Amino acid sequence: MLQINPLAAAISDTITMAKFDLTSRMGQYLDRHLVFPLLEFLTAKQIYDENELLQVKLDILSNTNMVDYAIDVWKLLYPNQEAMNERRNQVVSELNELTKSCAEITELMNDDKKMKKIETMRDSRTLMNFLQDEINCGPEKMESMYKMAKYWYECGNYSSTNTFLYFYTLTMQTTDKNYLNVLWGKLASEILGQNWETALEDLNKLREYIDSNTFGSALQHLHQRTWLIHWSLFVFFNHEKGRDLVIDMFLYKSQYLNAIQTMCPHILRYLSTAVITNRSRRNSLKDLVKVIQQESYTYKDPITEFLEHLYVNFDFEGARQKLQECQIVLFHDFFLIACLDEFVENARLMIFETFCRIHQCISIGMLAEKLNMNPEEAECWIVNLIRNARLDAKIDSKLGHVVMGTQPLSPYQQLIEKIDSLSVRSEALQHLIEKKLKARAHEDNRWGASEF
Ligand SMILES: *[C@@H]1O[C@H](CO)[C@@H](O)[C@H](O)[C@H]1NC(C)=O
Ligand SMILES: *[C@@H]1O[C@H](CO)[C@@H](O)[C@H](O)[C@H]1NC(C)=O
């Protein structure tokens, strides 16, 4: 099914000036409801014209059941015009119909005793039999539940969505025609309800299903993975274990790394941030930098460039400048703004550590300059690093020097690292040629645009 995504088109028209903003690229792979939090964030950051953002919001809202919200936005945009009310009647009559077809299910869900009994049932067959006895539940009633769930979702009532998907997710077989859609729908409504623990479970369930390779073509799998990568950012940058898990999925599951390199290299920003902000994952740096170099022809931003300057070119001045730009990028990124402080702290440490590998004795004044700090601040920072046993060094306050405890890299080791990166570059070229040969295609079977 080829369908141009109106949302992506609308956003990329309005948003071209904010150089590092990825919202329009990301919007292509997100359900329209998932774009809302991003738009709200952009509105607060005021980097775009307010009316243009409102127009994008209105375009998205007109395709949902959030009629009153749409009318509010309409009034802001066109204060002197009558708002459209027909849509509301349509939405209300749809609810009446669905309420009728789900009456028995709703009654069952309101029956605490029976619901308690259901909670004790462990397998889907027992539950299905129970539902058949109680409400004569068959494919038709399942379909009504599904439609009701989707209806509430379009209303922006994500907890009601989950209520109606409850029986469905407990009983559905992988052969169910709605199977994939239900998994996507469940994930979306858990994300929008900010239930990160359940969202992570749903994300894993969906990933296992996609990776089990039981449906569709290789291309369809690639697209499903691309969506999953984008949706997963909500979970990974909110769940407390997320920034660790994101590295395992994006960098070390080859099918996902392949999807990132083929479809969405801009995701490298998020992967890089996860690696940079976690000191325990420093051993992933080499693998990450290799990918960044391969992709530098198709994607770069201050964050990926920071790593390139530091670990490929050993260009400390370049890294310092990029670190400043990184702060602006993170500050304006919906997913990353919460990591800003950790990012700066760790990035400084990386500059420092790399610098120390090459120089054994460093003047604090020079170091302060490289880290965008004043000398007192820098000395204080280094003292803390030494105190917390994160750095093997001594400070000579009289001379204003830091003296490293460990041996720096020998010139020979440095040469080996350079050669390593040269062969990576030729690999990258080959990769690029392969990629040019692969055609891009669009496909539209998201929850947000499925066959309702
Ligand atoms: C969601 O819908 C239910 C009815 O199904 C209602 O009781 C509840 O108040 C709604 N929640 C929100 C946030 O609108
Ligand atoms: C960093 O990585 C370690 C080891 O994988 C993990 O235990 C920890 O939770 C991670 N920290 C963050 C902030 O993600």
Side-chain angles (χ1 to χ4, degrees):
M1 192 179 359
L2 189 102
Q3 190 186 338
I4 304 295
N5 187 337
L7 165 63
I11 295 180
S12 55
D13 274 355
T14 48
I15 305 173
T16 41
M17 67 276 206
K19 202 165 142 205
F20 298 121
D21 182 49
L22 295 177
T23 311
S24 64
R25 290 204 211 182
M26 310 270 268
Q28 295 176 58
Y29 304 107
L30 293 175
D31 179 87
R32 57 175 77 92
H33 291 249
L34 293 176
V35 179
F36 268 104
L38 274 66
L39 289 179
E40 297 290 350
F41 178 79
L42 286 182
T43 307
K45 288 287 167 219
Q46 300 185 322
I47 46 175
Y48 297 117
D49 179 83
E50 203 179 328
N51 277 351
E52 284 177 2
L53 278 181
L54 281 175
Q55 189 61 55
V56 174
K57 255 192 207 173
L58 185 61
D59 290 346
I60 301 175
L61 282 170
S62 344
N63 289 308
T64 71
N65 294 342
M66 292 186 262
V67 184
D68 292 331
Y69 191 179
I71 290 175
D72 287 346
V73 176
W74 171 276
K75 281 182 188 156
L76 286 175
L77 275 169
Y78 311 105
N80 301 320
Q81 289 179 36
E82 272 300 302
M84 22 67 187
N85 279 318
E86 317 142 37
R87 177 89 182 113
R88 184 192 270 130
N89 300 336
Q90 210 180 324
V91 168
V92 171
S93 75
E94 198 184 333
L95 177 60
N96 289 338
E97 251 169 62
L98 285 168
T99 306
K100 257 183 248 155
S101 65
C102 287
E104 290 150 301
I105 298 154
T106 312
E107 200 183 319
L108 177 63
M109 288 194 301
N110 289 333
D111 188 329
D112 288 345
K113 242 192 226 152
K114 285 179 182 160
M115 286 304 281
K116 281 239 164 66
K117 195 167 170 194
I118 286 171
E119 274 166 31
T120 63
M121 297 179 185
R122 295 305 297 169
D123 65 305
S124 61
R125 186 177 244 139
T126 319
L127 177 58
M128 201 63 218
N129 288 340
F130 179 78
L131 291 179
Q132 257 156 8
D133 292 345
E134 285 291 326
I135 58 171
N136 193 17
C137 187
E140 216 172 283
K141 290 232 162 68
M142 294 294 280
E143 187 67 19
S144 301
M145 267 191 261
Y146 179 60
K147 285 192 172 142
M148 191 62 144
K150 188 58 166 52
Y151 176 88
W152 282 123
Y153 183 80
E154 290 307 338
C155 291
N157 188 328
Y158 308 114
S159 61
S160 281
T161 308
N162 282 332
T163 309
F164 281 94
L165 285 181
Y166 178 72
F167 289 132
Y168 213 110
T169 48
L170 286 181
T171 56
M172 71 178 171
Q173 306 294 312
T174 49
T175 49
D176 193 302
K177 73 179 166 63
N178 292 324
Y179 189 84
L180 196 53
N181 258 322
V182 166
L183 291 185
W184 283 108
K186 182 76 171 27
L187 176 57
S189 43
E190 296 295 1
I191 289 174
L192 290 157
Q194 307 198 354
N195 309 318
W196 305 120
E197 206 60 56
T198 344
L200 181 61
E201 281 167 27
D202 288 336
L203 173 66
N204 287 332
K205 212 190 270 180
L206 192 49
R207 197 185 68 206
E208 275 164 30
Y209 182 66
I210 293 171
D211 293 347
S212 70
N213 218 353
T214 51
F215 67 95
S217 64
L219 190 64
Q220 276 170 323
H221 278 91
L222 180 63
H223 282 261
Q224 293 283 326
R225 288 199 179 98
T226 309
W227 285 325
L228 194 62
I229 286 166
H230 286 82
W231 294 36
S232 74
L233 294 177
F234 289 92
V235 183
F236 287 147
F237 285 93
N238 282 293
H239 192 286
E240 59 170 6
K241 298 219 178 75
R243 269 189 278 151
D244 199 23
L245 298 173
V246 70
I247 302 173
D248 299 332
M249 176 164 152
F250 290 2
L251 190 57
Y252 293 114
K253 291 213 185 310
S254 61
Q255 292 155 315
Y256 289 88
L257 181 59
N258 179 44
I260 290 170
Q261 294 193 277
T262 322
M263 305 291 292
C264 49
H266 55 267
I267 292 295
L268 289 177
R269 171 186 298 182
Y270 303 97
L271 178 57
S272 302
T273 303
V275 173
I276 291 170
T277 52
N278 194 339
R279 229 176 105 72
S280 330
R281 302 292 307 245
R282 283 289 180 271
N283 50 0
S284 306
L285 258 178
K286 206 171 174 195
D287 302 317
L288 172 65
V289 169
K290 195 168 151 180
V291 178
I292 287 175
Q293 281 186 277
Q294 287 174 355
E295 289 312 313
S296 64
Y297 301 87
T298 56
Y299 182 77
K300 55 175 60 179
D301 67 22
I303 297 163
T304 64
E305 285 175 313
F306 168 76
L307 291 176
E308 267 195 301
H309 279 309
L310 196 54
Y311 293 109
V312 183
N313 309 323
F314 299 104
D315 170 3
F316 294 97
E317 180 52 25
R320 188 186 68 82
Q321 280 174 7
K322 287 298 163 191
L323 177 53
Q324 250 166 345
E325 286 178 36
C326 285
Q327 297 180 49
I328 298 169
V329 173
L330 264 74
F331 185 72
H332 291 97
D333 190 298
F334 172 81
F335 295 103
L336 302 181
I337 188 166
C339 320
L340 181 55
D341 292 343
E342 270 173 274
F343 182 95
V344 174
E345 169 75 11
N346 280 288
R348 277 179 176 158
L349 198 56
M350 287 164 110
I351 296 181
F352 184 51
E353 283 169 344
T354 313
F355 200 72
C356 294
R357 285 166 76 195
I358 299 172
H359 307 269
Q360 179 136 42
C361 178
I362 308 151
S363 112
I364 292 176
M366 192 212 317
L367 200 61
E369 204 186 301
K370 298 213 178 305
L371 298 169
N372 296 328
M373 293 168 131
N374 65 44
E376 293 84 53
E377 209 188 338
E379 182 167 346
C380 202
W381 186 70
I382 296 164
V383 168
N384 267 326
L385 287 178
I386 296 173
R387 194 177 289 148
N388 300 333
R390 291 167 76 181
L391 182 72
D392 179 17
K394 277 198 233 80
I395 290 188
D396 183 333
S397 288
K398 221 185 277 165
L399 292 172
H401 280 166
V402 186
V403 184
M404 301 307 298
T406 45
Q407 287 297 310
L409 273 191
S410 71
Y412 172 72
Q413 281 168 309
Q414 289 178 37
L415 183 67
I416 293 290
E417 294 215 341
K418 286 267 184 200
I419 292 173
D420 248 9
S421 72
L422 262 181
S423 65
V424 167
R425 272 177 216 156
S426 54
E427 246 176 66
L429 199 59
Q430 186 192 353
H431 177 80
L432 182 76
I433 294 166
E434 279 169 14
K435 186 169 1 186
K436 287 249 151 96
L437 295 174
K438 281 184 201 158
R440 283 198 171 195
H442 289 277
E443 181 194 18
D444 206 344
N445 62 349
R446 286 157 303 161
W447 165 257
S450 50
E451 73 280 12
F452 289 96

